[in-house]
Amino acid sequence: MKTKRYFKLFLKPYNIILKHFDQDIRISIGQKFCCFPQLEEKEIEIPIFENANGRNAFYNKMQKRLKEYKINGNFSSEILSFLHEIGHIYTYTRINEIKYNFGTTLLQEIQAKFTNPKYLNFFYNCYFNLKLEKLADKWAMEFIKANQELVEQWQDMLQENYNKVLPKFINHMKIKYHKDLLA
């Protein structure tokens, strides 16, 4: 099977979820969960593997948000991330993007000067408290609260797909590209 086919298999459940939302949203494989709501055809990137520090920081932040919104249940990082990115699309405004771009640029400049790993959580917390990020979180939390059973079904569907496709994809990468994705 070709690599492109694995990407399609990997994205299939995300496309099923998107049918419940704006039909102009498209998804692609990327290096991390991110969103481009300002484009005419809005896009969300989905990673196959992601930086563990960033993923853990995001997950921990979202666990706090679930408690803030009094939502019970165990939700995976993937479903929380995906709903957060959809939240960016539904809460996007140009004025917030300008502030966001200024904030992220400032954070990147400061982070370049303070490269010690002990400051990493501080920078994640600063980023997560940018208005655009908090608005996307709020949208995701409100959606989960109103549709918890559906979100749990989506989460199960995503997990089943990961369990089915990921081992085959990892083996494919080892054979075709001599790349060990878990190394």
Side-chain angles (χ1 to χ4, degrees):
M1 190 179 302
K2 294 184 178 182
T3 305
K4 190 174 182 178
R5 176 81 174 120
Y6 279 105
F7 288 169
K8 285 183 180 182
L9 287 172
F10 187 73
L11 294 175
K12 184 178 179 181
Y14 291 102
N15 278 313
I16 291 169
I17 294 169
L18 281 180
K19 289 179 182 177
H20 294 268
F21 299 101
D22 188 339
Q23 297 302 308
D24 290 335
I25 303 171
R26 67 184 191 104
I27 56 173
S28 61
I29 298 292
Q31 292 185 1
K32 61 182 179 177
F33 276 98
C34 63
C35 181
F36 304 96
Q38 72 279 23
L39 303 177
E40 186 173 322
E41 188 176 80
K42 297 144 190 70
E43 182 175 355
I44 296 173
E45 288 187 357
I46 309 291
I48 293 176
F49 295 100
E50 201 172 7
N51 172 290
N53 290 334
R55 177 71 5 227
N56 289 335
F58 177 84
Y59 184 74
N60 292 336
K61 181 245 332 190
M62 292 303 274
Q63 292 304 306
K64 290 176 186 171
R65 296 279 196 255
L66 288 165
K67 286 178 186 170
E68 285 173 27
Y69 283 84
K70 297 175 178 53
I71 299 171
N72 295 320
N74 294 316
F75 297 96
S76 69
S77 181
E78 289 75 23
I79 194 67
L80 292 171
S81 296
F82 194 53
L83 291 173
H84 169 89
E85 299 307 334
I86 293 170
H88 275 305
I89 291 169
Y90 285 103
T91 61
Y92 173 79
T93 64
R94 179 75 178 128
I95 191 75
N96 286 341
E97 182 189 22
I98 293 166
K99 292 176 186 176
Y100 172 83
N101 290 340
F102 176 77
T104 56
T105 302
L106 184 60
L107 279 172
Q108 289 169 351
E109 292 289 323
I110 296 169
Q111 193 172 8
K113 292 176 177 32
F114 295 93
T115 57
N116 189 322
K118 72 179 183 180
Y119 297 117
L120 201 52
N121 281 337
F122 169 76
F123 289 114
Y124 283 131
N125 285 332
C126 289
Y127 176 76
F128 294 147
N129 281 300
L130 293 171
K131 186 173 185 175
L132 226 57
E133 293 302 313
K134 288 171 84 171
L135 287 172
D137 287 349
K138 182 179 184 215
W139 185 93
M141 292 301 118
E142 289 173 353
F143 184 85
I144 292 169
K145 198 167 195 168
N147 302 282
Q148 188 163 345
E149 193 173 303
L150 179 61
V151 173
E152 288 169 351
Q153 290 171 8
W154 289 345
Q155 177 173 264
D156 292 343
M157 179 180 59
L158 286 173
Q159 189 60 54
E160 285 176 27
N161 194 58
Y162 274 97
N163 293 344
K164 182 179 167 186
V165 176
L166 204 53
K168 293 175 185 176
F169 176 70
I170 290 169
N171 191 48
H172 163 77
M173 294 301 284
K174 283 180 185 176
I175 293 167
K176 185 162 184 163
Y177 300 105
H178 308 288
K179 225 171 187 24
D180 187 355
L181 297 175
L182 299 178

